[in-house]
Tab-separated table of all heavy atoms in Angstrom:
chain	number	residue	atom	x	y	z
R	406	ASP	N	-20.824	-30.278	10.136
R	406	ASP	CA	-19.797	-30.198	11.200
R	406	ASP	C	-18.581	-31.093	10.983
R	406	ASP	O	-17.390	-30.777	11.202
R	406	ASP	CB	-20.375	-30.506	12.481
R	406	ASP	CG	-21.454	-29.467	13.032
R	406	ASP	OD1	-21.270	-28.431	12.630
R	406	ASP	OD2	-22.362	-29.963	13.764
R	407	ILE	N	-18.855	-32.187	10.420
R	407	ILE	CA	-17.826	-33.204	10.047
R	407	ILE	C	-18.091	-33.729	8.637
R	407	ILE	O	-19.182	-33.991	8.280
R	407	ILE	CB	-17.778	-34.435	11.009
R	407	ILE	CG1	-17.572	-33.927	12.518
R	407	ILE	CG2	-16.847	-35.452	10.659
R	407	ILE	CD1	-17.611	-34.967	13.545
R	408	ASP	N	-17.010	-33.762	7.853
R	408	ASP	CA	-17.105	-34.242	6.490
R	408	ASP	C	-15.884	-35.124	6.101
R	408	ASP	O	-14.993	-35.237	6.981
R	408	ASP	CB	-17.384	-33.186	5.501
R	408	ASP	CG	-16.191	-32.169	5.423
R	408	ASP	OD1	-15.091	-32.501	5.787
R	408	ASP	OD2	-16.443	-31.026	4.916
R	409	PRO	N	-15.877	-35.747	4.976
R	409	PRO	CA	-14.761	-36.632	4.619
R	409	PRO	C	-13.377	-35.882	4.695
R	409	PRO	O	-12.289	-36.566	4.875
R	409	PRO	CB	-15.027	-37.018	3.258
R	409	PRO	CG	-16.499	-37.050	3.178
R	409	PRO	CD	-16.866	-35.839	4.006
R	410	SER	N	-13.282	-34.562	4.583
R	410	SER	CA	-11.959	-33.946	4.667
R	410	SER	C	-11.529	-33.732	6.061
R	410	SER	O	-10.323	-33.406	6.290
R	410	SER	CB	-12.048	-32.638	3.976
R	410	SER	OG	-12.927	-31.718	4.552
R	411	THR	N	-12.349	-33.892	7.112
R	411	THR	CA	-11.949	-33.664	8.431
R	411	THR	C	-12.093	-34.821	9.344
R	411	THR	O	-11.484	-34.864	10.478
R	411	THR	CB	-12.746	-32.496	9.033
R	411	THR	OG1	-14.116	-32.880	9.062
R	411	THR	CG2	-12.506	-31.174	8.361
R	412	HIS	N	-12.865	-35.836	8.995
R	412	HIS	CA	-13.023	-37.018	9.887
R	412	HIS	C	-11.910	-37.966	9.840
R	412	HIS	O	-11.492	-38.329	8.732
R	412	HIS	CB	-14.349	-37.676	9.498
R	412	HIS	CG	-14.892	-38.650	10.623
R	412	HIS	ND1	-14.425	-39.806	10.710
R	412	HIS	CD2	-15.792	-38.352	11.520
R	412	HIS	CE1	-14.983	-40.516	11.736
R	412	HIS	NE2	-15.888	-39.545	12.239
R	413	PRO	N	-11.423	-38.468	10.957
R	413	PRO	CA	-10.267	-39.353	10.975
R	413	PRO	C	-10.543	-40.714	10.241
R	413	PRO	O	-9.548	-41.318	9.795
R	413	PRO	CB	-10.031	-39.626	12.479
R	413	PRO	CG	-10.662	-38.600	13.190
R	413	PRO	CD	-11.735	-38.048	12.295
R	414	ALA	N	-11.865	-41.117	10.127
R	414	ALA	CA	-12.067	-42.396	9.435
R	414	ALA	C	-11.760	-42.287	7.975
R	414	ALA	O	-11.370	-43.265	7.316
R	414	ALA	CB	-13.560	-42.753	9.580
R	415	TRP	N	-11.841	-41.058	7.331
R	415	TRP	CA	-11.491	-40.899	5.942
R	415	TRP	C	-10.126	-40.286	5.686
R	415	TRP	O	-9.604	-40.282	4.665
R	415	TRP	CB	-12.518	-39.960	5.303
R	415	TRP	CG	-13.867	-40.572	5.243
R	415	TRP	CD1	-14.226	-41.571	4.364
R	415	TRP	CD2	-15.041	-40.106	5.873
R	415	TRP	NE1	-15.525	-41.957	4.539
R	415	TRP	CE2	-16.135	-41.063	5.371
R	415	TRP	CE3	-15.336	-39.211	6.795
R	415	TRP	CZ2	-17.336	-40.924	5.797
R	415	TRP	CZ3	-16.639	-39.181	7.172
R	415	TRP	CH2	-17.664	-40.003	6.798
R	416	THR	N	-9.578	-39.697	6.738
R	416	THR	CA	-8.276	-39.021	6.589
R	416	THR	C	-7.068	-39.846	7.064
R	416	THR	O	-5.954	-39.385	7.014
R	416	THR	CB	-8.113	-37.577	7.318
R	416	THR	OG1	-8.388	-37.875	8.663
R	416	THR	CG2	-9.264	-36.697	6.774
R	417	GLY	N	-7.381	-41.054	7.643
R	417	GLY	CA	-6.240	-41.839	8.080
R	417	GLY	C	-5.801	-41.483	9.476
R	417	GLY	O	-4.782	-41.849	9.883
R	418	GLY	N	-6.626	-40.695	10.237
R	418	GLY	CA	-6.334	-40.327	11.598
R	418	GLY	C	-5.521	-39.148	11.720
R	418	GLY	O	-5.109	-38.840	12.877
R	419	ASN	N	-5.282	-38.380	10.652
R	419	ASN	CA	-4.439	-37.235	10.734
R	419	ASN	C	-5.166	-36.010	11.384
R	419	ASN	O	-4.682	-35.152	12.046
R	419	ASN	CB	-3.962	-36.793	9.411
R	419	ASN	CG	-2.973	-37.868	8.826
R	419	ASN	OD1	-2.382	-38.549	9.569
R	419	ASN	ND2	-2.945	-37.824	7.441
R	420	ALA	N	-6.465	-35.911	11.138
R	420	ALA	CA	-7.320	-34.755	11.666
R	420	ALA	C	-7.796	-35.078	13.062
R	420	ALA	O	-7.913	-36.261	13.518
R	420	ALA	CB	-8.495	-34.542	10.770
R	421	GLN	N	-8.041	-34.118	13.869
R	421	GLN	CA	-8.567	-34.222	15.190
R	421	GLN	C	-10.041	-33.815	15.245
R	421	GLN	O	-10.375	-32.775	14.707
R	421	GLN	CB	-7.796	-33.374	16.154
R	421	GLN	CG	-6.242	-33.691	16.269
R	421	GLN	CD	-6.134	-35.070	17.000
R	421	GLN	OE1	-6.825	-35.329	17.881
R	421	GLN	NE2	-5.287	-35.905	16.522
Side-chain angles (χ1 to χ4, degrees):
D406 292 331
I407 297 176
D408 63 20
S410 65
T411 60
H412 194 280
W415 290 292
T416 60
N419 296 333
Q421 295 292 320

